[in-house]
Amino acid sequence: MVSEHLELNRITGASAEGLDLQPSPRAQELRQVLVDFMHSHVFPAEGEYDAYRSRVGPDDHRVPPIIETLKREAKALGLWNLFMPQLSGIGQLDYAGLAEVTGWSLHLAPEATNGQAPDTGNMELLHLFGSDEQKRRWLEPLLEGTIRSAFAMTELDVASSDATNIETSIVRDGDHYVVNGRKWWTSGIADPRCELVIVMGKTDPAANKHRQQSMVLIPFHSPGVTVLRDVPVFGRHDQHGHCEVAFDNVRVPASALLGEEGAGFRLAQARLGPGRIHHCMRAIGAAERALAMMVQRASTRIAFGKPLADQGMVHQQIAESRIAIEQARLLCRHAAKVIDVHGNRAAAPLVSMAKVSVPRVALEVIDRAIQIHGGAGVSDDVPLAAMYGWHRAMRIFDGPDEVHLRAIAKNELASHSSA
């Protein structure tokens, strides 16, 4: 007879009692305002955004002017900096439903509400660990949406899924630090509004492997900072760019250190935790839009004498998509609730589960929508191809699936061995 020791909610240490995933009245009000904003302002602006990007070409990374118009409108409606509980007055569970709605239009809505990566993660870092001067110089304009920023951690020559591998050096030289290294997938740095680059490198290679790293704040226009190229994602160049960047003897004052020396790995984990769940929230929104497009296409497209929606196989694809989205949403909101109640560390296993499962769900639903759209689905006449490329990349950035699966398994094994 098998006698496993089973325990409810072992992974989080959180009680299942009172696990209320209902958003607050304030969040419900904000969501309605946001949904109205999406339909009245964002969706109508998508054509103008795409036309501008097509006209200027992929090498021009200026933001389409319609974005600044949307930002002003969103700020006037109170849809601004919703990601930061200290400013918005709502928690991660409340934000989950709002971030999901912005995921309906990934290129426009997050930035329109000042909730776009990588700026949100950088703002959280500056809020938690920045000095008063760092907050004044960098956090305030980021919160106002007048500048943009970049985060440089991933490196071309090492497996950056293990952040302890990074080789960029940050060496103390009197009252300065000198930075040398090469990064890539530095998102946001191609945008002409980018003023700040947060760089992670090694200040003490001889220390414990999780105490070797530090972060410094580098003004983008500093001598020695060179953008080598913008790296396309599945052949597409995003407006803000994902660039390979060289740092050659870049000097910054010692006051540019973020937090303390040796805290870089800890800061990175603090930054990536909320960022991962925010990406998942938006991915659920993308899946919802893909499903809506699937239903619309199936209802209006005639094949073999009747609408596609009357075909049994299409019924199954629609049903499977709805089931998967609801499951993903519950997992994502469960993780957000645990963050609110118990903090990022307690929620880490759930965040890892969401980071693996939610992009998979989004890809499955988007793929079904592409299939039902036929030739249109793989064209740029509809947004599905671009949506698919981004969410496929999501299985790699902020930790590839394999890293999160490893963490989930280790947590599970440890919990059973201690039972």
Side-chain angles (χ1 to χ4, degrees):
M1 184 177 74
V2 179
S3 57
E4 300 94 337
H5 178 77
L6 301 180
E7 181 182 335
L8 187 63
N9 256 352
R10 178 196 301 276
I11 55 169
T12 64
S15 171
E17 293 182 41
L19 188 60
D20 182 3
L21 301 184
Q22 180 73 11
S24 69
R26 171 63 176 155
Q28 294 179 55
E29 292 173 4
L30 285 169
R31 190 180 191 280
Q32 187 56 59
V33 174
L34 181 56
V35 168
D36 293 343
F37 175 68
M38 294 294 295
H39 286 286
S40 62
H41 292 81
V42 176
F43 290 145
E46 288 181 334
E48 183 175 343
Y49 180 98
D50 291 339
Y52 180 93
R53 291 283 294 139
S54 178
R55 184 169 64 253
V56 302
D59 295 330
D60 189 327
H61 292 280
R62 290 175 297 174
V63 66
I66 189 61
I67 290 292
E68 295 300 333
T69 301
L70 291 173
K71 286 165 65 175
R72 290 191 295 272
E73 292 166 340
K75 188 179 290 189
L77 290 169
L79 301 173
W80 194 253
N81 292 330
L82 300 174
F83 71 95
M84 188 174 284
Q86 297 84 352
L87 296 176
S88 65
I90 60 173
Q92 295 298 332
L93 175 61
D94 283 345
Y95 183 60
L98 304 174
E100 177 181 326
V101 173
T102 67
W104 294 351
S105 185
L106 194 59
H107 292 306
L108 281 76
E111 184 168 1
T113 56
N114 212 39
Q116 72 285 346
D119 295 321
T120 51
N122 291 345
M123 286 187 270
E124 286 166 341
L125 273 180
L126 288 163
H127 174 78
L128 291 171
F129 305 107
S131 66
D132 290 342
E133 172 58 23
Q134 290 169 346
K135 291 177 181 178
R136 184 198 64 78
R137 182 176 181 184
W138 301 119
L139 180 58
E140 290 180 10
L142 282 168
L143 289 171
E144 285 297 315
T146 56
I147 68 171
R148 290 211 59 180
S149 62
F151 184 70
M153 183 174 74
T154 307
E155 297 183 2
L156 180 62
D157 295 330
V158 298
S160 299
S161 56
D162 178 359
T164 63
N165 280 338
I166 62 172
E167 296 178 343
T168 294
S169 66
I170 302 174
V171 178
R172 184 70 180 256
D173 182 20
D175 293 332
H176 290 78
Y177 286 101
V178 180
V179 182
N180 281 282
R182 182 167 294 193
K183 301 287 189 177
W184 75 331
W185 297 114
T186 304
S187 299
I189 202 169
D191 192 312
R193 299 167 297 166
C194 182
E195 296 288 342
L196 167 68
V197 189
I198 301 181
V199 179
M200 182 165 164
K202 287 188 176 179
T203 45
D204 186 1
N208 175 280
K209 70 176 183 177
H210 292 106
R211 292 287 299 172
Q212 297 176 4
Q213 307 83 13
S214 301
M215 290 187 187
V216 291
L217 309 178
I218 298 181
F220 170 60
H221 299 290
S222 299
V225 179
T226 306
V227 175
L228 302 175
R229 60 175 176 135
D230 175 39
V231 183
V233 179
F234 285 99
R236 295 176 181 274
H237 290 266
D238 289 333
Q239 176 268 317
H240 56 275
H242 308 282
C243 298
E244 182 177 354
V245 189
F247 298 89
D248 296 316
N249 293 314
V250 179
R251 297 182 67 87
V252 292
S255 60
L257 181 71
L258 183 61
E260 60 184 22
E261 276 198 20
F265 189 87
R266 178 171 62 87
L267 267 60
Q269 296 308 305
R271 181 189 186 279
L272 290 171
R276 287 169 178 144
I277 200 67
H278 293 169
H279 276 305
C280 292
M281 295 167 182
R282 290 188 289 266
I284 292 170
E288 278 287 6
R289 185 172 185 182
L291 177 55
M293 293 177 65
M294 188 191 317
V295 170
Q296 174 68 18
R297 181 75 168 188
S299 300
T300 58
R301 195 71 166 179
I302 305 300
F304 305 105
K306 58 183 179 180
L308 291 175
D310 290 345
Q311 309 289 344
M313 288 184 293
V314 174
H315 277 178
Q316 180 176 353
Q317 291 174 326
I318 291 172
E320 294 284 2
S321 297
R322 171 50 64 203
I323 292 168
I325 289 172
E326 294 302 326
Q327 291 173 329
R329 179 180 288 116
L330 284 171
L331 176 56
C332 195
R333 293 193 176 187
H334 184 184
K337 179 69 172 183
V338 174
I339 291 174
D340 285 340
V341 176
H342 299 282
N344 290 333
R345 185 169 183 177
L350 286 166
V351 172
S352 286
M353 292 178 201
K355 181 59 175 61
V356 172
S357 63
V358 174
R360 289 179 179 177
V361 166
L363 286 170
E364 290 170 359
V365 176
I366 294 167
D367 185 70
R368 293 177 186 129
I370 289 172
Q371 193 71 16
I372 288 178
H373 277 73
V378 296
S379 75
D380 285 343
D381 288 358
V382 295
L384 293 169
M387 290 163 62
Y388 188 92
W390 176 255
H391 291 91
R392 180 60 184 86
M394 191 177 161
R395 291 187 57 197
I396 297 173
F397 64 70
D398 279 6
D401 286 1
E402 292 77 9
V403 168
H404 290 291
L405 289 167
R406 178 174 178 266
I408 295 164
K410 288 177 67 176
N411 182 78
E412 190 70 14
L413 290 166
S415 66
H416 279 272
S417 66
S418 62

